[in-house]
């Protein structure tokens, strides 16, 4: 049955993995992939910069470096260099999963602690790529589903804060005003409207359209201040370790756990990508691809830290794009990575997006984060929900959401312990792993 499914998928492809489509078709396929990933790449640095109250120049540079790092990471994944990478049309971009722990680390020690912890903790994922068959016994689909759901639920708080106007609006007393909430609602409704369209191009670019219209409306309302920018010209030269490095154990542990889950997610995405591309999903070739892809996930995240960007992960949405276009050629990935690197080198791109009012971004991210939570629920729903699974879920969600909703519960603990468990993702994730391993029920 699996073999017939694979041959059916291969027959649906216009260009296979090692085919070289004509330039026009390659550029068209690359552009569609870019539309699907662009907003997802630039959103994490915008959210993190907003939470840490960074200035426009720093925010712009972080956005540019996110695009640059994603371009380099995508090239490594598609090219497969010395056993690092999948050799598939596999796109990498800035991961949403790390936002919560990164903001916590940033509030503790700023950008040096963030980049130091991100780079150090990436070794966790690289190690997992070498021990793949053992980690899959610890991080079961139930545990992955719980953590992905908690990531989405925790980030919804970040999204709704942006909808209300963010930290600036809280400080000047305009948080939750009709102006802010109305703008966020407009973006949200526009995205839903275009996403429901039967036209695949409108559906693919629904988030981009929603943000552009929201940005234009915000500018008409006087919420965009272009006068704060001195210049839109020049080049952004990637400067390794521009903000310095620092290390913090609590940030390392919190991020290390997310890298653990990201490795399992990457395995699932690589499996789906192989299947859609008409390539094997078992055997030696597949195992080399999967372990090389997860190794690249960790290595590229470390490389992103070197160039002042945040952890990268394999993007699942591009698997759908391969099905949609019928183009699985990894050579398309080279063009995508080239476009991303070019966009990252021009500061104008980062500056335009760093001026985006928080309610505009909030309207889009609220839906994105809800989608992350629903993806986790789908993973859980695909498992057998017996008494043990119910107990594991109950414990993980109770403890994970408790520290998110009432962070004061940790106020009497030592600072290091408090920093580790202040993230609902970490608390809920550790609880899920331990509860799943230790709870034994005889039916």
């Amino acid at each position: 049955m699996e073999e017939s499914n694979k041959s059916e998928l291969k027959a649906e492809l216009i260009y296979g993995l090692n085919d070289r489509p004509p330039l026009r078709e390659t550029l068209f396929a690359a552009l569609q992939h870019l539309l699907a990933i662009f907003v997802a790449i630039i959103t994490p640095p915008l959210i993190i910069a907003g939470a840490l109250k960074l200035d426009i120049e720093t925010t712009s540079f972080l956005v540019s470096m996110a695009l640059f790092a994603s371009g380099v990471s995508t090239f490594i994944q598609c090219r497969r260099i010395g056993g690092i990478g999948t050799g598939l049309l596999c796109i990498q971009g800035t991961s949403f999963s790390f936002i919560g722990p990164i903001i916590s680390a940033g509030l503790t020690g700023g950008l040096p602690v963030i980049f130091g912890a991100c780079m150090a903790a990436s070794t966790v994922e690289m190690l997992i790529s070498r021990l793949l068959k053992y980690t899959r016994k610890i991080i079961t689909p139930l545990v992955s589903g719980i953590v992905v759901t908690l990531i989405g639920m925790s980030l919804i708080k970040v999204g709704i804060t942006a909808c209300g106007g963010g930290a600036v609006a809280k400080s000047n007393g305009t948080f939750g005003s009709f102006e802010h909430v109305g703008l966020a609602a407009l973006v949200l409704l526009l995205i839903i409207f275009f996403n429901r369209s039967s036209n695949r191009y409108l559906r693919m670019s629904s988030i981009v359209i929603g943000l552009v219209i929201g940005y234009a409306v915000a500018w008409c309302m006087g919420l965009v201040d272009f006068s704060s920018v001195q210049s839109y010209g020049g080049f952004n030269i990637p400067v390794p370790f521009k903000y310095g490095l620092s290390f913090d154990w609590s940030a390392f542990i919190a991020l290390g756990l997310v890298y653990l889950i990201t490795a399992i997610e990457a395995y699932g995405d690589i499996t789906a990508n192989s299947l859609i591309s008409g390539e094997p999903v078992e055997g030696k070739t597949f195992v080399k691809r999967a372990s090389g892809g997860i190794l690249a996930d960790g290595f590229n995240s470390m490389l992103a830290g070197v160039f002042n960007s945040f952890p990268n992960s394999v993007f699942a949405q591009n698997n759908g794009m391969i099905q949609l276009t019928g183009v699985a050629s990894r050579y398309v990935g080279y063009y995508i990575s080239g476009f991303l690197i070019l966009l990252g080198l021009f500061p104008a791109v980062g500056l335009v997006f760093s001026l985006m009012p928080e309610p505009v971004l909030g309207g889009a991210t609220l839906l994105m984060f809800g989608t992350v939570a629903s993806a986790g629920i789908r993973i859980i729903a695909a498992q057998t929900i017996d008494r043990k699974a119910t107990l594991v879920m109950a414990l993980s969600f109770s403890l994970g959401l408790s520290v998110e909703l009432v962070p004061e519960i940790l106020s009497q603990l030592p600072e290091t312990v408090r920093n580790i468990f202040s993230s609902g993702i970490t608390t809920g994730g550790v609880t899920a792993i331990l509860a799943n391993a230790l709870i034994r029920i005889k039916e």
Side-chain angles (χ1 to χ4, degrees):
M1 180 71 179
E2 260 185 40
E3 202 58 45
S4 66
N5 280 351
K6 199 176 93 175
S7 56
E8 275 173 36
L9 284 163
K10 202 158 192 169
E12 285 175 15
L13 290 175
I14 301 166
Y15 296 105
L17 181 65
N18 294 304
D19 294 337
R20 291 178 182 257
L23 182 63
R24 192 175 66 176
E25 291 180 40
T26 302
L27 291 172
F28 186 63
L31 184 64
Q32 288 185 83
H33 279 281
L34 273 175
L35 279 175
I37 60 172
F38 184 78
V39 174
I41 291 170
I42 64 164
T43 301
L46 287 173
I47 291 168
I48 292 161
L52 301 180
K53 299 175 186 172
L54 302 177
D55 60 51
I56 284 174
E57 278 70 27
T58 307
T59 304
S60 163
F61 188 76
L62 293 178
V63 169
S64 291
M65 288 306 101
L67 290 164
F68 176 82
S70 294
V72 173
S73 301
T74 297
F75 180 79
I76 291 169
Q77 279 287 15
C78 296
R79 183 75 182 83
R80 185 173 168 82
I81 302 166
I84 303 174
T86 57
L88 297 164
L89 176 50
C90 199
I91 315 299
Q92 275 205 245
T94 327
S95 174
F96 280 96
S97 305
F98 295 85
I99 293 174
I102 282 174
I103 290 171
S104 298
L107 293 171
T108 306
L111 290 174
V113 164
I114 289 174
F115 296 128
C118 285
M119 288 177 67
S122 68
T123 54
V124 172
E125 190 166 8
M126 288 189 257
L127 184 65
I128 289 165
S129 73
R130 308 295 92 186
L131 307 167
L132 191 58
K133 59 183 177 183
Y134 304 110
T135 51
R136 286 176 65 208
K137 291 174 185 174
I138 303 164
I139 314 293
T140 62
L142 177 68
V143 172
S144 292
I146 289 168
V147 175
V148 173
T149 306
L150 279 168
I151 287 168
M153 287 178 167
S154 302
L155 290 175
I156 284 169
K157 184 173 76 174
V158 177
I160 199 68
T161 303
C163 288
V168 175
K170 279 186 175 180
S171 62
N172 64 23
T174 60
F175 185 79
S177 67
F178 177 75
E179 191 178 56
H180 291 145
V181 175
L183 191 55
L186 172 69
V187 174
L188 182 65
L189 290 170
L190 282 167
I191 293 169
I192 293 168
F193 175 77
F194 286 109
N195 200 265
R196 288 179 68 249
S197 170
S198 55
N199 183 307
R200 67 181 189 177
Y201 301 108
L202 285 176
R203 196 166 70 244
M204 271 174 0
S205 38
S206 57
I207 294 174
V208 177
I209 294 168
L211 285 174
V212 168
I213 295 174
Y215 202 127
V217 171
W219 179 67
C220 294
M221 292 165 69
L223 296 176
V224 183
D225 180 21
F226 290 110
S227 63
S228 57
V229 179
Q230 304 301 315
S231 164
Y232 287 93
F235 284 97
N236 262 331
I237 307 299
V239 180
F241 311 116
K242 182 176 180 177
Y243 301 102
L245 286 181
S246 186
F247 185 77
D248 179 82
W249 273 107
S250 56
F252 172 82
I253 294 166
L255 286 159
L257 179 77
V258 184
Y259 273 116
L260 193 70
I261 303 302
T262 304
I264 306 301
E265 279 182 20
Y267 179 83
D269 291 332
I270 293 162
T271 307
N273 192 312
S274 294
L275 186 68
I276 291 161
S277 303
E279 295 295 311
V281 288
E282 54 191 359
K284 277 187 180 178
T285 304
F286 172 70
V287 170
K288 276 174 73 177
R289 275 198 181 127
S291 58
I294 294 165
L295 177 62
D297 227 42
F299 176 79
N300 290 336
S301 293
M302 184 176 73
L303 206 59
V306 171
F307 289 107
N308 316 287
S309 188
F310 307 113
N312 272 235
S313 65
V314 176
F315 273 4
Q317 58 262 51
N318 294 91
N319 293 341
M321 203 57 64
I322 293 169
Q323 265 188 311
L324 198 70
T325 58
V327 179
S329 169
R330 63 196 178 97
Y331 296 103
V332 173
Y334 300 167
Y335 284 85
I336 297 165
S337 63
F339 287 144
L340 288 169
I341 290 167
L342 272 175
L343 286 167
L345 294 177
F346 289 100
V349 177
L351 283 165
V352 166
F353 284 98
S354 63
L355 289 169
M356 186 186 293
E358 288 215 44
V360 175
L361 188 65
T365 54
L366 197 61
L367 195 63
M368 285 186 201
F369 298 152
T371 308
V372 172
S374 61
I377 292 165
R378 281 176 66 185
I379 297 169
I380 294 168
Q383 314 311 309
T384 304
I385 310 295
D386 53 15
R387 269 202 304 151
K388 177 184 172 175
T390 305
L391 268 175
V392 172
M393 285 161 61
L395 268 172
S396 307
F397 287 131
S398 298
L399 297 181
L401 292 174
S402 294
V403 296
E404 282 290 338
L405 298 171
V406 190
E408 301 81 35
I409 193 73
L410 304 172
S411 59
Q412 302 302 314
L413 294 173
E415 189 181 354
T416 307
V417 179
R418 194 165 68 241
N419 289 340
I420 294 169
F421 293 104
S422 61
S423 163
I425 300 163
T426 313
T427 304
V430 169
T431 304
I433 292 167
L434 293 176
N436 193 49
L438 300 175
I439 292 175
R440 297 278 182 268
I441 292 178
K442 288 183 181 178
E443 296 292 351

